[in-house]
């Protein structure tokens, strides 16, 4: 009998016909023989492949219960493709097989897209592929704080252009690799090279534009970044099928190097407020992590944004299939709507914050409202309220763009010379929050036994409520301290108008920084910005 090895488990398979491959995946209560009618018909024009899942003789039947699960079913599909030298195939699944096919398809990011050709050409196994994927994110996260320090010291133009060179080298190394070590080094350089993609942009906006324009500009930048993520799916798949994975990464290297050159040659320099001295870098970082304003914001931002990312990245699709019972077409439609909502949500939040500030409503108040609405939306999902699932899950995805508001608040809490480190410090918590919450949800789900490959509704509700409790605590910490605390000097001045001679009226349009006590004012008529220096005890007058 023919078998394929899947990480130590032998899978029995059969195939018939020639042409583009079709892999048939059987249901829980049957085996590969249920596809005999379909195989007889489609084998006239296609290469039809069937196999018995693990636990279904004559495939191996492991005694260890840990050797079963939908993740292993997904890996078994990849093992069959590797063993039969299949780079691309149609997947047809029923019930349990349909769920495995769906999960296999959902993981077709740029990492998954190149997984099959990598394993075919270089003989990688599932553990190697997992290591390749994780080293990218590990390097990306580990570089956040050092990159923030460098951004504050040398500016976004130099740091971003240099790091993109590292990304280009990583892509080129990946394209020419012939062993796992070279692949790992290439992936690590890619993670390092794009580590400043967000924080460098945020730092540049802080340096180039006044604070009252940051909400809109942050939203615009995050929106464009979210749209760019789309290229890791269908466009990358088309290129992969056309030119192969090595040429694909070689193209990445060329394009990335071109972007680096454009940034270095065309992007203008903008002097930071105060150069960062070597000896003060870690001291300033300690100042950020011990600042009460930072820790008032960080729990709400990390739990809300982290939950939104964790749901959109994995658990939304699981909910749609296990709880909502959606078919593949409906699931893909929901995920598409969520992707669009994430992109548009960034722009919408930026525009809304910009407009509300003109009416005296601060970004803190808007973030508190967004957090409260997010809690309400999750309750509606958990309790299965009769509302449109498209609307509810679009709202979940849009909260993933609430970083727009968080970074605006950081710009008001810290001076410009600390902007890079402050953004990086919060970004570490966003990434860590998404990782912890995504993992914790899976841990909670594992307390229930899946039926026909599906976890019960109560399992998801319990996991989601656990996350929701953390968000409620964080929201209370953020909002109630803000509501009950007496107005600070900055907020008092923010709402005041100061009369000047000659009929000129000045209004506050900036913030008081703890280090300098600087206030930025402008004339309503002439929009001329003028700094005014004071300390906590001094009075001031605005010249006409």
């Amino acid at each position: 009998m023919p078998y394929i090895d899947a990480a130590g488990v032998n899978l029995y398979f059969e195939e018939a016909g020639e042409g583009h491959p079709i892999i048939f995946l059987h249901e829980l209560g049957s085996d590969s023989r249920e596809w005999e009618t379909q195989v007889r018909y489609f084998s006239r024009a296609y290469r039809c492949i069937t196999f018995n899942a693990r636990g279904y003789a004559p495939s191996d039947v492991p005694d260890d219960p840990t050797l079963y699960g939908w993740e292993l079913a997904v890996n078994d599909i990849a093992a069959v493709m590797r063993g039969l030298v299949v780079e691309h195939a149609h997947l047809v699944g029923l019930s349990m097989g349909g769920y495995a096919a769906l999960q296999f398809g959902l993981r077709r990011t740029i990492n998954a897209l190149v997984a099959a050709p990598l394993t075919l050409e270089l003989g990688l196994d599932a553990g190697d592929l997992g290591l390749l994927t994780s080293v990218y994110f590990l390097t990306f996260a580990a570089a956040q704080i050092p990159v923030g320090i460098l951004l504050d010291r040398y500016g976004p133009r130099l740091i971003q252009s240099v790091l993109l060179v590292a990304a280009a080298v990583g892509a080129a190394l990946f394209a020419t690799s012939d062993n796992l070590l070279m692949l790992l080094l290439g992936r690590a350089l890619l993670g390092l090279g794009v580590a400043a993609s967000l924080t460098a942009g945020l730092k540049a906006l802080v340096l180039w534009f006044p604070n009252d324009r940051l909400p809109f500009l942050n939203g615009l930048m995050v929106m464009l970044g979210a749209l760019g993520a789309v290229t890791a799916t269908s466009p990358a798949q088309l290129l992969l099928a056309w030119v192969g994975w090595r040429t694909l990464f070689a193209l990445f290297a060329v394009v990335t190097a071109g972007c680096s050159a454009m940034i270095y040659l065309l992007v203008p320099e903008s002097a930071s407020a105060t150069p960062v001295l070597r000896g003060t870098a870690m001291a300033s970082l300690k100042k950020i992590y011990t600042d009460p304003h930072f820790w008032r914001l960080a729990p709400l931002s990390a739990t809300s944004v982290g939950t939104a990312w964790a749901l959109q990245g994995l658990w939304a699709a699981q909910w749609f299939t296990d709880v909502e019972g959606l078919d593949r077409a409906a699931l893909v439609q929901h995920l598409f709507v969520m992707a669009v909502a994430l992109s548009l949500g960034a722009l919408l939040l930026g525009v809304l914050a910009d407009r509300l500030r003109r009416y005296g409503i601060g970004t803190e108040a808007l973030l508190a409202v967004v957090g409260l609405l997010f809690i309400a939306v999750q309750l509606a999902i958990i309790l299965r309220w009769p509302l449109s699932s498209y609307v509810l899950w679009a709202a979940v995805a849009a909260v993933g763009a609430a970083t727009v508001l968080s970074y605006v608040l950081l710009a008001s809490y810290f001076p410009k010379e600390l902007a890079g480190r402050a953004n990086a410090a919060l970004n570490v918590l966003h990434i860590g929050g998404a990782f912890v919450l995504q993992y914790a949800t899976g841990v909670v789900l594992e307390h229930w036994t899946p039926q026909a490959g599906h976890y019960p509704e109560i399992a998801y509700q319990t996991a989601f409520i656990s996350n929701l409790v953390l968000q409620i605590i964080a929201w209370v910490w953020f909002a109630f301290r803000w509501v009950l605390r007496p107005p600070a000097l900055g907020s008092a001045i923010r709402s005041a108008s100061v009369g000047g001679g000659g009929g000129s009226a000045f209004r506050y349009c900036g913030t008081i920084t703890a280090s300098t006590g600087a206030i930025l004012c402008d004339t309503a008529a002439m929009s001329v910005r003028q700094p005014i220096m004071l300390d906590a005890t001094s009075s001031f007058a605005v010249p006409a």
Side-chain angles (χ1 to χ4, degrees), residues 418-438:
L418 293 181
R421 276 161 287 181
N423 291 331
L426 185 60
N427 213 29
V428 168
L429 298 181
H430 287 155
I431 298 170
F435 171 79
V436 171
L437 294 173
Q438 194 171 74

Side-chain angles (χ1 to χ4, degrees), residues 341-502:
L342 174 62
S343 181
L344 294 181
L347 183 62
L348 177 62
L349 288 174
V351 171
L352 189 59
D354 186 51
R355 295 292 185 269
L356 290 177
R357 288 181 67 167
R358 299 182 184 183
Y359 294 96
I361 302 176
T363 306
E364 287 181 326
L366 178 58
L367 181 60
V369 171
V370 169
L372 190 61
L373 290 176
F374 187 42
I375 291 171
V377 166
Q378 291 172 88
L379 281 175
I381 292 172
I382 293 169
L383 300 178
R384 307 294 302 280
W385 290 353
L387 300 172
S388 170
S389 59
Y390 284 102
V391 173
L392 293 176
W393 285 98
V396 169
V399 172
T403 52
V404 170
L405 306 179
S406 301
Y407 295 133
V408 169
L409 290 176
L410 287 181
S412 68
Y413 294 159
F414 301 101
K416 291 183 177 182
E417 60 267 22
L418 293 181
R421 276 161 287 181
N423 291 331
L426 185 60
N427 213 29
V428 168
L429 298 181
H430 287 155
I431 298 170
F435 171 79
V436 171
L437 294 173
Q438 194 171 74
Y439 177 76
T441 299
V443 170
V444 174
L445 290 179
E446 288 178 354
H447 285 78
W448 281 264
T449 301
Q451 302 295 325
H454 302 281
Y455 285 102
E457 178 180 327
I458 185 62
Y460 288 95
Q461 290 173 326
T462 303
F464 290 179
I465 287 175
S466 300
N467 290 346
L468 192 59
V469 169
L470 296 177
Q471 295 168 57
I472 292 174
I473 295 172
W475 187 88
V476 170
W477 172 258
F478 177 83
F480 274 57
R481 283 170 59 87
W482 170 53
V483 171
L484 297 178
R485 190 178 57 187
L489 178 60
S491 60
I493 298 175
R494 182 181 296 113
S495 61
S497 296
V498 182

Side-chain angles (χ1 to χ4, degrees), residues 146-370:
V147 164
I149 295 173
L150 292 172
L151 285 172
D152 287 333
R153 179 170 178 79
Y154 298 106
R157 171 176 167 266
L158 178 61
I159 298 304
Q160 181 64 38
S161 58
V162 170
L163 286 180
L164 284 181
V165 170
V169 172
L173 182 61
F174 198 91
T176 58
S177 296
D178 58 5
N179 59 69
L180 179 60
L181 182 60
M182 289 182 65
L183 289 172
L184 288 171
L185 182 57
R187 288 285 292 173
L189 286 174
L190 279 168
L192 173 64
V194 300
S197 296
L198 174 64
T199 50
L202 294 170
K203 174 71 175 183
L205 294 178
V206 168
L207 294 177
W208 294 342
F209 298 97
N211 282 0
D212 57 348
R213 301 302 300 157
L214 290 182
F216 170 73
L217 294 171
N218 283 356
L220 184 62
M221 188 184 72
V222 173
M223 180 198 73
L224 294 174
L227 288 176
V230 176
T231 61
T233 55
S234 296
Q237 174 65 63
L238 292 174
L239 284 172
L240 182 64
W242 182 30
V243 300
W245 70 272
R246 291 189 183 275
T247 305
L248 177 62
F249 275 88
L251 289 173
F252 287 169
V254 173
V255 173
T256 304
C259 291
S260 173
M262 289 178 62
I263 291 173
Y264 186 78
L265 297 174
L266 301 180
V267 173
E269 276 286 8
S270 182
S272 181
T274 304
V276 180
L277 301 177
R278 294 179 186 271
T280 62
M282 297 308 298
S284 298
L285 191 61
K286 180 180 178 182
K287 178 181 178 181
I288 293 169
Y289 273 123
T290 57
D291 187 276
H293 293 88
F294 179 87
W295 286 112
R296 184 172 139 251
L297 167 67
L300 178 63
S301 188
T303 55
S304 297
V305 172
T307 296
W309 289 356
L311 292 175
Q312 186 168 7
L314 176 61
W315 296 116
Q318 306 289 95
W319 172 276
F320 292 147
T321 54
D322 290 359
V323 179
E324 301 287 349
L326 300 183
D327 58 21
R328 179 172 175 80
L331 184 144
V332 171
Q333 289 176 357
H334 278 76
L335 294 180
F336 175 77
V337 169
M338 291 180 70
V340 173
L342 174 62
S343 181
L344 294 181
L347 183 62
L348 177 62
L349 288 174
V351 171
L352 189 59
D354 186 51
R355 295 292 185 269
L356 290 177
R357 288 181 67 167
R358 299 182 184 183
Y359 294 96
I361 302 176
T363 306
E364 287 181 326
L366 178 58
L367 181 60
V369 171
V370 169

